[in-house]
Structures are given as structure tokens and as C-alpha cells.
Amino acid sequence: MIKKLTVCGVAFLNDAYDMFSINIVAMILGFVYYHDAEGADQNTVPKKWDTLIKIAVQIGCLLGQLVLGRLGDKVGRTTIYSASLMIAIITTIASAFSSSMVKGFNVFIVLFIWRVLLGFGIGGDYPLTATIVSEYASPKNRGKLMSAVFACQGFGNVLAPIVGIIVTACFRSSIDNDVRNLDYVWRLIIGLGCIPGVATLYWRLTMEDSKRFQLESAKAAAANADEDMQREKLLAKQHFAEDNAQEDGLLESPNTVLNVALTDDKPRRAKTFGQYFSEWRHLKVLLGTSIAWFALDVAFYGINLNSAVVIDAIGFAGDLYQDKPSHFIIRNCLGNIIINILGSVPGYWITVFTIERLGRKTIQLMGFAMLTILYIVLGFA
């Protein structure tokens, strides 16, 4: 169980790193490609390109969750779980080598394409990690284990700026002599994001589906086999009746009842998605959970993908135009670390240790109340 939790925890850490490292990378790209721009445009990526590369992973995630999440039910959890990681590793490395074409796409469009594909892999990780943990966990500690795995996102948010500081410090003298040497820095920040995934790839490949999933799959297979057998019997009776009707010279086949039986037997006896959620008691849980998560993510991704902009706006990072690029980047990364160490990381782990006592709904209501207050303060500050 510890190995499975480690694999799933590292998955969320890796996903958070890959998603939110672009926040730092976008800032560095401004120095690399727009250091010679004039006025307020100097050292700043234009809004259209900045937005494009930041939303790329989220676009891919949406597609990946729908496609790979569904395949996880059809093919098997761990098979698709391993495939999603391999997609993420390959596209992370490819993203690090993004560059402009002589004729055609510039570096931002190429980076966008690779990060959409990266998001596709991450989109498989998201639903499957949560599902795998929930299937292995007992009802008594399911909330704690699920929260602990999700809490690893906080570590991924902290790891990205730490890597940014280390890599920038390694190239500091070269960067101060020629700002274009930051080209190495942003590529390394992205590329190093594949290390946690590579480190756990073997464990993923050797993981087995949970006993619960295997049991449900076996039940579904048995039910399908039983339905197929019944259908074959009905078809045999129908053919026998048709043959007798032809021999007796009947104009109409006396198999109307058999046809009705065949028609009625086609739908699966197990409740389908539509049947299950046609009941309000189930639908309200789905709506309540998904709408709450959507509302949270609008603010969560909006702030985490643009925290470098906020840190610059409050003046913590220094002067974008006068300070040395290495100093500005390191200060900005430091600001990101402080925000996460003092904010999201403690919040995650307080939930881990209190969720079984306070309850899911109580913690969610407390969290949304605090977020409402804080976002109002941020909005009107």
C-alpha cells in the first residue's frame, strides 16, 4: 500500500510541477525573446503568447480526462495509468526542446502544441490516481489517503521555483553577461520535470489493478457472457421457428414473442451512467462536487499560473527593467516558494489530519468561506 501511495503521490507532485513551472518559464521567456523590445514591452512576453502557453496543459487535461479516464474503465486502471505517464515523460522532454521554425510556427506555438499533448497525459493521471487510491483505501481512512495524495500537489508547486533558483544560480554569471543564456535555464526547468515520472515508471508498469476493480470487471464479464448466451439461445429458437414456419407454408413467422424478448434483452442489466444519475439523490452529489471543483479551479489555476505576475506587481521581485535578470528571477522564484510554504502546503496537510474528524463537507464549507473573503480582499486591494 505504501508503494502505491508513493506512486500516486509522486504523480500529483509531477503533474503540479509540469503545470505550474510554466509560470516561471513564461517570465524567463520574456528575457530571452524580448530583451531588446522597447518601453513596457521589454523583458515581457506579449499577452497572447503568455496566455497561450499557460492554458495549453489545461486544454490537454480536459481531453485526457475524457479519453484516458474512459479507457481506464474499459482497458484497466494501471495499463492506462502507465500509458499516461509515458505520454507525459515524452512530451515534457519534447517541450524542453521547443524552438521556432525557419518558416512557420514560432517557439510559443511549438511549446503550446507539446504542452497540450503533455496535458493529455496529465489528464489521464488526474482521474486515475484518485480512482486507484479510492479503490485501494478502506472507507475508514479513504478521506485521509485521498487528501494526502492530493497534498503532494503543494510539494510540486514548491519544487518548481526551487529548481528555478538552483538552475538560475548555476548560470548566474553567464546570464549577467548575456541574457540569452537564460535559454538554457527555461529548457532545464521544463526538462527536469520528467525525473519524478521516470523514477516511478517501473513501479507503475508493475502495479496491479485493485481487487475491487478486478472483481467488478469479472462480474461485468460474467454478466455479459450470460446475456450473450441467453441471446444465442433466443436466436436459435427464432431460427428454428422460422424454419418450421417455412415448412408449414405460413406467411408470417410465429416468432413475435422471441423478437420482443431479444429486443428487451439488449440493454445491460447493470445501471448505466445515465440511469444512475437520472435519480436526483445521485445527480445532486455529482453536480455539487463538480461545480464546487470547477469554481475552485477557476481561481486556483488563475492565481498559480500567474503568481509571478502578482509577485512582480507588488514589487517583491525587484525592477524588471533595471535589475539583473538573474536577481529578478531568483527573487520571483523565492516569492513563489514563500506563498506556497505559508499557504497551500499547510492547508493541504491540515486537511489530511482533520478530514476524518471534521468531515468532508465541513472542511469544504470552511475553505470556501475563507477563499471568498481572501479573493474579495485580493480583488479590491
Side-chain angles (χ1 to χ4, degrees), residues 8-317:
C8 293
V10 171
F12 268 110
L13 180 150
N14 206 154
D15 293 344
Y17 181 99
D18 288 337
M19 281 192 288
F20 299 120
S21 60
I22 195 66
N23 173 43
I24 298 165
V25 167
M27 172 183 60
I28 296 174
L29 288 171
F31 286 102
V32 175
Y33 292 97
Y34 296 94
H35 60 277
D36 54 356
E38 297 181 357
D41 295 332
Q42 186 181 13
N43 299 332
T44 304
V45 175
K47 293 297 181 184
K48 63 177 181 179
W49 301 127
D50 181 76
T51 302
L52 191 71
I53 60 176
K54 286 180 178 177
I55 66 170
V57 166
Q58 278 63 46
I59 294 172
C61 275
L62 178 60
L63 300 173
Q65 287 173 353
L66 296 173
V67 176
L68 297 180
R70 177 58 179 154
L71 287 176
D73 290 333
K74 300 285 286 185
V75 179
R77 310 278 197 249
T78 54
T79 301
I80 303 302
Y81 199 42
S82 300
S84 66
L85 178 58
M86 288 188 279
I87 292 171
I89 291 172
I90 293 169
T91 52
T92 296
I93 296 171
S95 297
F97 288 96
S98 298
S99 59
S100 298
M101 299 179 179
V102 176
K103 284 188 176 182
F105 299 151
N106 62 23
V107 65
F108 297 101
I109 296 178
V110 175
L111 185 58
F112 168 79
I113 293 170
W114 283 118
R115 285 187 64 80
V116 168
L117 296 175
L118 169 62
F120 187 81
I122 293 174
D125 256 12
Y126 255 65
L128 290 175
T129 298
T131 303
I132 288 169
V133 174
S134 67
E135 288 178 346
Y136 273 106
S138 65
K140 187 172 77 171
N141 61 4
R142 185 172 295 154
K144 182 185 293 184
L145 295 181
M146 290 281 290
S147 300
V149 169
F150 271 87
C152 292
Q153 277 191 322
F155 294 139
N157 288 344
V158 173
L159 184 60
I162 289 176
V163 172
I165 289 175
I166 293 172
V167 177
T168 303
C170 290
F171 288 89
R172 189 163 195 162
S173 59
S174 299
I175 294 168
D176 292 340
N177 291 329
D178 187 352
V179 72
R180 289 175 295 182
N181 285 315
L182 277 170
D183 193 56
Y184 298 109
V185 175
W186 75 263
R187 296 180 189 278
L188 284 170
I189 292 172
I190 290 179
L192 291 172
C194 72
I195 292 178
V198 171
T200 57
L201 179 58
Y202 174 76
W203 283 359
R204 281 212 201 184
L205 291 171
T206 55
M207 280 178 68
E208 293 183 355
D209 287 320
S210 68
K211 299 297 182 184
R212 184 177 300 171
F213 176 74
Q214 292 180 34
L215 180 61
E216 291 299 323
S217 297
K219 286 181 180 178
N224 290 342
D226 183 60
E227 288 183 7
D228 290 342
M229 185 177 295
Q230 294 296 327
R231 190 174 290 107
E232 289 297 327
K233 289 180 180 179
L234 289 170
L235 285 171
K237 290 180 180 180
Q238 181 181 12
H239 293 154
F240 180 76
E242 288 175 349
D243 291 341
N244 287 340
Q246 290 175 0
E247 290 177 3
D248 295 341
L250 297 176
L251 296 176
E252 294 183 359
S253 176
N255 58 3
T256 305
V257 176
L258 293 176
N259 283 332
V260 172
L262 282 169
T263 302
D264 292 343
D265 195 52
K266 287 179 182 178
R268 302 300 185 190
R269 290 188 176 91
K271 285 186 176 180
T272 62
F273 181 90
Q275 290 172 328
Y276 185 80
F277 288 109
S278 64
E279 299 182 34
W280 173 244
R281 62 194 178 98
H282 300 310
L283 181 61
K284 70 179 181 179
V285 175
L286 176 65
L287 292 176
T289 305
S290 57
I291 292 172
W293 204 332
F294 172 81
L296 172 67
D297 279 353
V298 169
F300 178 75
Y301 286 106
I303 288 180
N304 279 281
L305 289 171
N306 294 286
S307 58
V309 178
V310 176
I311 292 168
D312 178 30
I314 64 177
F316 181 86

